Amino acid sequence: MSQWTCIVLISLLSSFSSLGRAMFNRTALIPHPNPEEVAQEVQRRVNASVSRRQTLQLTQDDQSNCLTGNPIDDCWKCDPDWSNNRQGLADCAIGFGQYAMGGKNGEYYVVTDSSDNDAVTPKPGTLRYAVIQPEPLWIVFPTNMHIKLSQELIFNSYKTLDGRGANVHITGGGCVTLQYISNIIIHNIHIHHCVQSGEANVRSSPTHFGWRTESDGDGISIFGSKDIWIDHCSLSHCKDGLIDAVMGSTGITISNNFFSHHNEVMLLGHSDEYKPDSGMQVTIAFNHFGEKLVQRMPRCRRGYIHVVNNDFTQWEMYAIGGSGSPTINSQGNRYTAPFDHNAKEVTKRVETGEGEWRDWNWRSEGDIMVNGAFFVASGQGVEVKYEKAYSVEPKSAVLIDHLVMHAGVLGVGGRDNNLGKWGTGPNGGEAGLGTDDDYTDDYSGTGRNNMNRYDAALSSIFIPMTCLLISFTLPLTSLL
């Protein structure tokens, strides 16, 4: 009986490979049991950093270069020897992605080759070779690089991309894919001009490659993954979303990034009906949503989304939208509405009547509304503080300029703050990538075809896991 059951189940999983893998991975995607506690801790850390900065201003004539009130930046930039202690960055995340270890305690991997000519047999020294390795790696760049991807860059778990000290651009086919993995840090990278790719074999580990159907063209695609931190990146002009997180992904922090020139910026949640996304927990902090953005900053389905101390300087339709009854906790943000009188509202309930969304828990606490912007709150007891979305009083909104002043890529090729180089390369670490349009983030926005697609192959590891699970559960069912 168990042998036949195993054969049947293997056949089913082979037909619906990604769904099967998601089912097995679901046990690992456990959300935090008290998301309000995480939101409270974020605000406590912000308020503590703001208080330190204000105290410093009162006691010193010269303001410190490191105490900005931004707890993430203050954590590592106040270390004068940070460039020799790069892995200390892994201790600086806040919010739901704070447990992302990246490649902490792993070896340093130096990317010496910017080519990406073979997605099945990548050369040692390339970024693709680094990200598929099974062991933790802290990946660094000794010089400026433009990496034009031939196919999706599929990561293995426990990796950090640390672009500090170099001008690193990732463009091309599919861009970054985080699928059924955990513990990823992406820091100080330009990601833009990402296009659809696929209908090709792509390697995801040293022992496995598989056929990939056509990708969406996301800048960063998070699919069934957890413990992810994306910090100080600049993202623009991708075919699909700049950052999408779907299929039960959780434990995510998106911080200090600069978003621009795009239509549908960020999607959180696979669909209204996909119940595992109810456990999605995302912190969106200290980002600058800049010029030529249209909507989805983010667009949420289910889950708990904490939007704290961001600067929304432009949208054309709306800033924050949702469906499927997500919890949205907006604290200490600055929302600057466009001049269009029909687009002043920050929020949008997507294709949902008021009779349904009036019970959704959407709160605005300490936000600053500019140029007629307004936030439509909802939920039980809307006229008073609603404890399910309320954390602590955000005192930091008045310092929003300081909190987001360094959003996006830092250092060489970034917006400000020159940083220490990892090493010396052909360009000496100096700006000088040339005038090719692919080295800039300034593109006009495009629409996107929002279709999540599934992997075409099932990793061999899940078949023995299936049989093992069946052999364990069948004796139990016989007792029922």
Side-chain angles (χ1 to χ4, degrees), residues 323-334:
S323 59
S325 189
T327 293
I328 296 177
N329 185 359
S330 173
Q331 293 189 301
N333 302 284
R334 180 167 62 191

Side-chain angles (χ1 to χ4, degrees), residues 17-27 29 180 223-224 247 274 462:
S17 58
S18 288
L19 179 59
R21 290 169 65 186
M23 288 166 61
F24 280 106
N25 198 47
R26 192 65 51 221
T27 58
L29 300 177
Y180 307 117
F223 193 101
M247 301 301 287
Y274 190 70
F462 291 96

Side-chain angles (χ1 to χ4, degrees), residues 328-350:
I328 296 177
N329 185 359
S330 173
Q331 293 189 301
N333 302 284
R334 180 167 62 191
Y335 296 103
T336 303
F339 288 101
D340 183 353
H341 291 289
N342 297 315
K344 298 294 186 182
E345 184 177 347
V346 172
T347 51
K348 179 179 180 180
R349 278 75 171 176
V350 180

Side-chain angles (χ1 to χ4, degrees), residues 35 53 93 119 127 142 159 200 217 242 248 301 307 326 334 345 350 363 369 432 455 469:
R53 179 182 182 277
L127 177 58
K159 299 295 179 289
L242 296 184
R301 296 183 175 119
V307 184
R334 180 167 62 191
E345 184 177 347
V350 180
R363 284 294 178 276
M369 304 292 172
D455 193 353
L469 180 63

Side-chain angles (χ1 to χ4, degrees), residues 333-401:
N333 302 284
R334 180 167 62 191
Y335 296 103
T336 303
F339 288 101
D340 183 353
H341 291 289
N342 297 315
K344 298 294 186 182
E345 184 177 347
V346 172
T347 51
K348 179 179 180 180
R349 278 75 171 176
V350 180
E351 297 180 353
T352 309
E354 183 176 354
E356 182 178 348
W357 63 252
R358 70 174 59 181
D359 293 327
W360 296 358
N361 186 14
W362 290 25
R363 284 294 178 276
S364 170
E365 298 287 345
D367 292 325
I368 295 175
M369 304 292 172
V370 181
N371 197 33
F374 65 97
F375 186 110
V376 177
S378 61
Q380 186 178 7
V382 71
E383 70 281 356
V384 297
K385 295 176 181 177
Y386 189 41
E387 293 303 323
K388 287 187 177 179
Y390 179 72
S391 59
V392 296
E393 182 182 359
K395 301 176 182 178
S396 49
V398 294
L399 293 176
I400 199 74
D401 288 326

Side-chain angles (χ1 to χ4, degrees), residues 102-103 130-131 133-135 137 155-160 183-185:
V131 300
Q133 300 307 310
E135 70 271 15
L137 289 177
F155 278 55
N156 213 330
S157 296
Y158 294 96
K159 299 295 179 289
T160 295
N183 289 281
I184 299 296
I185 298 173

Side-chain angles (χ1 to χ4, degrees), residues 32 34-52 69-74 92-99 229 251-256 281-287 304-310 329-333 365 389-397 400 403:
H32 193 284
N34 187 354
E36 291 80 27
E37 182 180 294
V38 178
Q40 290 170 8
E41 180 60 24
V42 168
Q43 278 297 348
R44 279 194 291 267
R45 291 186 61 176
V46 173
N47 291 343
S49 293
V50 167
S51 297
R52 283 195 296 271
N70 182 316
I72 294 174
D73 288 352
D74 291 353
C92 295
I94 64 173
F96 293 114
Q98 63 183 294
Y99 303 111
W229 182 27
I252 301 169
T253 292
I254 299 169
S255 58
N256 292 308
Q281 297 172 337
V282 182
T283 300
I284 300 172
F286 318 129
N287 301 285
Y304 184 107
I305 316 300
H306 188 200
V307 184
V308 56
N309 294 133
N310 301 278
N329 185 359
S330 173
Q331 293 189 301
N333 302 284
E365 298 287 345
Y390 179 72
S391 59
V392 296
E393 182 182 359
K395 301 176 182 178
S396 49
I400 199 74
L403 294 173

